[in-house]
Amino acid sequence: MSSESRRVLLLLPHLEVGGADKFNLDLAQQLARRGWRLTIALTLPGAHPWRAHFEAVTPDIVPLHPRVAPAKQSIFLRDLVGSRGIDTIIVSHSEAGYALLPYLRLHSPGLAVLDYLHIEELHWRDGGYPRLSLDAAHWLDMSVVSSEHLRGWMLARGADPARVAVCTTNIDTVEWDPAQFDRGVLRRDLGVAPDESLVLYPARLVPQKQPRLLADVARELARRRLRFTLLVAGDGPDRGWLESFVRSEGLAGQVRLLGAVGVERVRELMAAADIFLLPSQHEGISLALYEAMAMGLASVAADVGGQRELLIPECGVLVGRGPGERQAYVAALERLLSESELRARMGAMARRRVADHFRLDQMGERMAVLVGQAHVLASTSPRTASEEEAAAGVAQAVALARELERARRLWGYDGAERPGSGVLVLRALKRALQPAYRWALARDQRVIRLAVGARNALVRLLYRGQD
């Protein structure tokens, strides 16, 4: 089959709002523009709020839950591959998708199978999805990763260098272009004076994005009597704490909490801003960093994951994790707040760098090339699976689906059922322990692994005998 007529199955967990799903949408659009026909199978239940965006690319979207019983999902996918004439499978962040690969290998020979990976997560399964990818390498023709950093992480853990390739996520530099906006009007609407520095932090208020570090940095900058406004565009479990901090520290005149905002509003805020700030604990390469650089902002971000592959010193400042982290963010921001010409140069260079090297069409072309390479590998050194491996994978996928259903009933994801008293007690316990969970997440990942293990044991105990 020629590359112009590829038929691709995207195995995705869901169609949620977030960076990974935005990449999936961008990928689907890029492949469709090349004439490839796409089918999307969703391996997790959910409302799929971005479904309409994906349906604009392909109407062939199949949620497995609750349509297909867990024990029948392997057969359903096998038949889907056959009926659609699928020749390529791309898995992205789907645990069930990895589990079902040996079954699909056994019953649908000749496929090229790839996965796409954004970030290693050491607090989950000793590496997160990249670890699942390594465990499933026997059934993958190629793994595509978002950064050289992640490729190095996988090679250090035994991955075959010939089968791990980098394709950065990239950005649409036409859509993300400050020239489309009247900066003066946007700043007037925000009540920001022309000579006042505007700092933007667009992120979920969760420990990974370090909003408490952000608060400490803002307090220190205010103490130094620097003139700035900090916009916090995001929501999450730390919002209440951050609101209290801003009030108690007298920062309400300089720190504004906007809550969750849509993509269009984020673009407007970036067009109005001077500096982008994201002090994350960990990232692959943040999508928001691509967006900020495309919008011509000087950036101050965490030196984690592959971010130094995008943000070079001419475009902004990277801050390493460690004891001096807070002081380093304060120093970097103080300099940029004080030197308008420097941040303007950095912003212009950032826009130029993204437009030259990290455009969305370049990502699409790179992925098309890598799919072609995967087909060559599938032909010259095919991956195979035994009956035993296929059966084990199906059993694992069924177990995952049942565990998910237990968790849904335990934590009441949809509120459709009346929980028993034991469930209510456990929910209350979960709420009570959330502050300790956030504290541990910021400090010691071993505690998190123990907590997750204890939670899973409680789920199994509560629902034993109900499968």
Side-chain angles (χ1 to χ4, degrees):
M1 181 176 290
S2 70
S3 62
E4 288 75 18
S5 56
R6 295 252 179 255
R7 299 196 174 190
V8 181
L9 172 64
L10 297 178
L11 272 177
L12 310 179
H14 43 53
L15 306 177
E16 296 289 344
V17 178
D21 291 271
K22 180 59 169 66
F23 169 77
N24 292 334
L25 178 60
D26 290 338
L27 175 62
Q29 291 171 336
Q30 288 295 314
L31 298 183
R33 287 171 185 170
R34 286 161 174 77
W36 297 13
R37 297 185 62 178
L38 304 178
T39 298
I40 299 174
L42 306 176
T43 61
L44 287 180
H48 309 299
W50 272 10
R51 180 164 180 163
H53 295 291
F54 283 83
E55 285 178 337
V57 182
T58 174
D60 197 11
I61 299 175
V62 184
L64 297 183
H65 301 272
R67 179 182 303 181
V68 185
K72 300 290 182 65
Q73 288 178 6
S74 56
I75 298 171
F76 181 89
L77 284 176
R78 178 198 68 191
D79 293 344
L80 189 69
V81 168
S83 65
R84 302 299 197 271
I86 299 294
D87 68 287
T88 307
I89 293 179
I90 301 176
V91 184
S92 183
H93 286 201
S94 170
E95 193 171 1
Y98 283 113
L100 291 171
L101 285 185
Y103 180 89
L104 293 173
R105 275 294 187 202
L106 179 66
H107 294 283
S108 303
L111 293 171
V113 182
L114 308 87
D115 63 348
Y116 190 91
L117 305 160
H118 293 267
I119 182 174
E120 75 276 17
E121 297 178 283
L122 299 182
H123 63 279
W124 180 64
R125 295 190 184 276
D126 192 31
Y129 291 105
R131 170 56 62 185
L132 296 183
S133 178
L134 291 168
D135 293 342
H138 185 68
W139 303 295
L140 288 163
D141 294 300
M142 181 169 287
S143 288
V144 185
V145 297
S146 67
S147 67
E148 289 289 350
H149 163 83
L150 184 50
R151 182 174 188 269
W153 186 93
M154 295 188 70
L155 296 187
R157 288 155 181 79
D160 181 353
R163 293 180 181 266
V164 183
V166 176
C167 177
T168 50
T169 57
N170 295 14
I171 195 76
D172 186 339
T173 54
V174 174
E175 185 179 16
W176 294 84
D177 183 354
Q180 297 183 29
F181 300 90
D182 188 324
R183 175 179 164 86
V185 170
L186 291 172
R187 289 172 70 92
R188 280 198 301 274
D189 291 345
L190 289 166
V192 177
D195 60 343
E196 184 174 354
S197 298
L198 187 60
V199 183
L200 177 64
Y201 167 96
R204 283 269 296 160
L205 301 181
V206 294
Q208 182 206 347
K209 307 297 184 178
Q210 300 206 96
R212 300 190 182 212
L213 173 61
L214 172 81
D216 283 342
V217 170
R219 176 173 57 189
E220 180 59 30
L221 292 173
R223 285 174 177 171
R224 298 186 184 193
R225 302 190 181 281
L226 292 163
R227 191 174 181 213
F228 71 94
T229 294
L230 170 62
L231 300 180
V232 179
D235 207 344
D238 274 339
R239 180 174 178 177
W241 178 91
L242 188 56
E243 288 174 338
S244 298
F245 182 93
V246 168
R247 286 195 302 271
S248 65
E249 296 294 330
L251 295 173
Q254 289 180 282
V255 179
R256 302 186 202 170
L257 276 66
L258 306 180
V261 301
V263 173
E264 292 297 331
R265 185 54 176 163
V266 169
R267 199 156 33 235
E268 291 176 348
L269 294 174
M270 286 185 174
D274 300 291
I275 301 168
F276 168 82
L277 174 61
L278 191 63
S280 308
Q281 287 182 344
H282 56 88
E283 297 281 357
I285 302 178
S286 167
L287 175 63
L289 182 56
Y290 281 105
E291 294 168 349
M293 291 178 64
M295 292 298 289
L297 292 180
S299 296
V300 180
D303 189 4
V304 293
Q307 301 214 127
R308 61 174 47 239
E309 299 166 36
L310 174 62
L311 184 61
I312 59 176
E314 292 82 0
C315 303
V317 181
L318 287 171
V319 175
R321 298 296 315 282
E325 189 174 7
R326 172 183 167 276
Q327 294 88 339
Y329 277 110
V330 170
L333 287 164
E334 182 174 25
R335 185 183 180 202
L336 289 176
L337 290 171
S338 303
E339 300 184 32
S340 59
E341 291 185 2
L342 172 63
R343 64 177 185 252
R345 287 198 305 271
M346 284 182 167
M349 179 61 74
R351 167 74 184 171
R352 189 176 310 124
R353 177 166 171 76
V354 171
D356 288 345
H357 303 291
F358 297 98
R359 296 192 315 274
L360 209 53
D361 62 297
Q362 292 170 317
M363 179 274 284
E365 187 58 34
R366 173 69 170 160
M367 282 298 297
V369 168
L370 293 176
V371 168
Q373 292 179 9
H375 275 274
V376 171
L377 288 167
S379 175
T380 57
S381 52
R383 304 298 210 182
T384 59
S386 67
E387 291 277 1
E388 292 77 12
E389 289 169 331
V394 170
Q396 181 185 357
V398 171
L400 286 169
R402 289 177 176 170
E403 181 178 334
L404 179 69
E405 175 59 18
R406 292 189 190 108
R408 185 189 67 80
R409 284 184 280 167
L410 178 60
W411 304 123
Y413 290 156
D414 61 4
E417 304 172 15
R418 285 184 178 272
S421 59
V423 174
L424 291 174
V425 169
L426 286 172
R427 286 186 192 167
L429 182 62
K430 178 191 176 190
R431 286 193 295 270
L433 291 175
Q434 276 182 343
Y437 176 89
R438 288 195 293 267
W439 177 89
L441 184 63
R443 291 164 176 81
D444 191 343
Q445 304 299 338
R446 292 172 297 178
V447 177
I448 300 305
R449 288 195 288 270
L450 289 172
V452 170
R455 181 202 63 190
N456 292 342
L458 282 172
V459 171
R460 289 192 294 271
L461 177 65
L462 186 62
Y463 288 104
R464 64 185 184 279
Q466 296 190 27
D467 293 332

